[in-house]
Amino acid sequence: GGNIRYMDMGTDGSDAVNIGGPSGSRSLHLFDNNERLYISTTGTGNRIARVGSTSTPPKSGTHLLGNFPGYPTSSTSPNQFVLFDTGTNNTPDLLYVADDSAGEILKYTFNNATSQWIAQGSVSVPNIKSITGKITSGVVTLYFTSIGSPSQLRTLSNASGSSLTGTTIVNLQTA
């Protein structure tokens, strides 16, 4: 129904609390450094957004979404996404998005001077559905799946300060 639901560990589904969310909600991401909750959606006006405005994930009530300034609000179809903090302020400043309608991974970095997310290229991945990754010494390793015939588990490495365009994709496993 386009809603995010919260429940404490060890409780059953009847204890879940509705905390809102737009129609077209697709994927949630809990940013581990500051425990903020983010969402991807195909809903009007938002694509990648922060849920609520407090420093911890919301547990009750209905919360507004804070769209990522500079991230397109109508031309993308984000599915899963992954955020990283390349600095020391425990705030995400690097974003990779699995855009399934474009069949691409999109890269964005946050510019502190303009308070905007800036596009840093893309790489074609037809039928992409999911994405995760890790960052080590400024190099991001992404793991992602594409569905179809055949479905694949793939990876790529990208320096956090460089464009994603032209990055080499390596197939790890074919289903």
Side-chain angles (χ1 to χ4, degrees):
N3 291 305
I4 303 165
R5 297 178 59 81
Y6 171 83
M7 59 190 241
D8 286 316
M9 180 100 79
T11 61
D12 65 34
S14 65
D15 297 326
V17 176
N18 184 3
I19 59 173
S23 63
S25 297
R26 301 186 91 188
S27 181
L28 293 173
H29 181 83
L30 183 62
F31 189 72
D32 62 350
N33 288 348
N34 61 11
E35 298 181 346
R36 292 181 183 151
L37 186 64
Y38 298 89
I39 189 171
S40 67
T41 176
T42 58
T44 303
N46 291 296
R47 290 295 187 256
I48 304 290
R50 182 174 168 199
V51 179
S53 60
T54 62
S55 62
T56 58
K59 295 181 180 182
S60 63
T62 300
H63 297 271
L64 297 176
L65 299 182
N67 198 58
F68 279 27
Y71 189 87
T73 58
S74 63
S75 61
T76 65
S77 179
N79 206 325
Q80 288 188 328
F81 60 100
V82 62
L83 292 161
F84 298 100
D85 174 19
T86 62
T88 58
N89 63 356
N90 293 327
T91 301
D93 57 8
L94 182 58
L95 167 69
Y96 293 88
V97 180
D99 186 322
D100 58 3
S101 70
E104 295 179 319
I105 296 174
L106 310 174
K107 179 181 180 179
Y108 284 79
T109 56
F110 187 74
N111 182 314
N112 284 316
T114 63
S115 296
Q116 297 284 309
W117 287 90
I118 309 297
Q120 299 296 327
S122 63
V123 64
S124 177
V125 183
N127 302 313
I128 188 166
K129 282 297 175 195
S130 63
I131 190 168
T132 190
K134 64 180 182 175
I135 187 168
T136 306
S137 301
V139 176
V140 174
T141 303
L142 297 175
Y143 302 94
F144 47 96
T145 60
S146 57
I147 62 168
S149 185
S151 295
Q152 296 176 312
L153 172 62
R154 303 162 95 185
T155 187
L156 66 80
S157 293
N158 179 244
S160 62
S162 67
S163 172
L164 189 58
T165 304
T167 304
T168 301
I169 296 173
V170 176
N171 188 46
L172 294 175
Q173 189 66 46
T174 299

